[in-house]
Structures are given as structure tokens and as C-alpha cells.
Amino acid sequence: MNKEPWQLSPTTRFDNRAERYARFRPAYPAVAIDAVLDQLGDPASITAADLGAGTGIFSRLLAERGVRVLAIEPNDNMRSAATPHRDVHWANATAEATGLASGSVDLVVAAQAWHWFEPTKTAAEVARILRPGGRLALVWYDDRPGCPASARYRRAVKPGATEAFGSH
């Protein structure tokens, strides 16, 4: 029986991968951060929740722009492998139950992570914690057949993958 990603124990799945994740996971381009923050106002006035923050790659990129980030990550090893940033505040919680106050954030982001969450519960939690007029941003790497950058990424990642991925 095939399981959805969020049914594969996402809270423990990266226990033995956190150091490699922190060391080798690619960052996101400035244009992605620009798009996420577009028309939200002064970054210093924004509070964001980064769901499934991992080792904080996207969290730090937002914080470097002045955003106050609440990094939500249930995996102890991933949080421990994160490079600290003064504007990134970590919480041992899940996307489905962040522990954040209702209406407390301007932005909710899930960078390369939404597929690990139980979708119905997470959508309800996002609606609860977002302020009126807030934004949900879902960010993924683009993997396109025939794209040289995508092919290089697959070649770099495939040797360390423990599950099959991509057929191109």
C-alpha cells in the first residue's frame, strides 16, 4: 500500500539525515524570497511561521531580510543542526499544531515541506494562526524534465537518496 508522504512519520524520518541536510540542502534564490514578501510591507514589521523549518534554511533567508521568524520543527536533530540566527525562534511543534496564538502571524511559509503535513489539519491551523490579510506561501524547488539545473540537482541528490525519486 502506497502511503502519502505525511503518513511516513515525518517527525522522525530525518533523524539520521539532519547533518547532511544542513550541509548539502540547497538554499533558495533571492527572487523566491522577494515573491514571498511582495506587498506585505516592511519586513521588520512581519512575523512569519516557517512550518517544517528543517534546519532553518528558509527561516534564515527571511530573517536576513528583517522578518521575525517562528521556526516550527518537530525533529530534535533538525533543530540541533540549524545555524542560529537572532531573528529565528525555534519551536518543537508540528504544522498541524503549532502552539502559536490565533491571528499571531502575517506570513506562513512551508518551504519544500507541505507534502509532509496532514493537509486538512494543517490548513485549519494555518487559517487559525494567520492574521486577517496574511499570506500562505508554499515553496518548492522546480524539477523540470530537460532542464539542465534540474538534471544536476537530481545527479547530486540521487546517490544519497534512500527511496526512489523521479523517473527522468
Side-chain angles (χ1 to χ4, degrees):
M1 176 165 115
N2 290 336
K3 292 185 175 185
E4 294 294 331
W6 53 268
Q7 294 172 315
L8 297 173
S9 187
T11 57
T12 59
R13 142 176 223 91
F14 294 97
D15 281 353
N16 65 350
R17 303 174 192 179
E19 291 299 325
R20 284 179 285 162
Y21 190 102
R23 187 170 173 198
F24 296 112
R25 185 77 168 202
Y28 298 85
V31 67
I33 307 304
D34 294 342
V36 167
L37 296 176
D38 186 45
Q39 298 185 24
L40 285 179
D42 178 8
S45 69
I46 298 170
T47 298
D50 183 0
L51 305 182
T55 60
I57 296 168
F58 206 89
S59 296
R60 283 190 308 279
L61 292 171
L62 289 172
E64 288 169 6
R65 299 283 185 101
V67 175
R68 179 177 178 259
V69 182
L70 308 169
I72 308 299
E73 175 53 52
N75 185 287
D76 293 334
N77 293 345
M78 294 294 268
R79 289 191 317 275
S80 294
T83 301
H85 189 286
R86 65 181 166 81
D87 289 326
V88 177
H89 310 277
W90 290 88
N92 179 4
T94 66
E96 298 85 357
T98 64
L100 300 177
S102 296
S104 62
V105 298
D106 307 289
L107 170 66
V108 174
V109 64
Q112 202 70 18
W114 186 267
H115 58 286
W116 293 115
F117 311 148
E118 195 289 316
T120 303
K121 291 177 183 174
T122 303
E125 182 69 352
V126 168
R128 187 186 70 75
I129 66 174
L130 268 177
R131 290 184 178 123
R135 174 177 297 159
L136 168 63
L138 306 180
V139 180
W140 279 276
Y141 302 120
D142 191 7
D143 186 17
R144 293 182 284 183
C147 172
S150 290
R152 286 191 304 273
Y153 175 75
R154 281 191 307 280
R155 281 194 304 273
V157 172
K158 192 170 184 176
T162 58
E163 295 93 14
F165 77 99
S167 58
H168 41 276

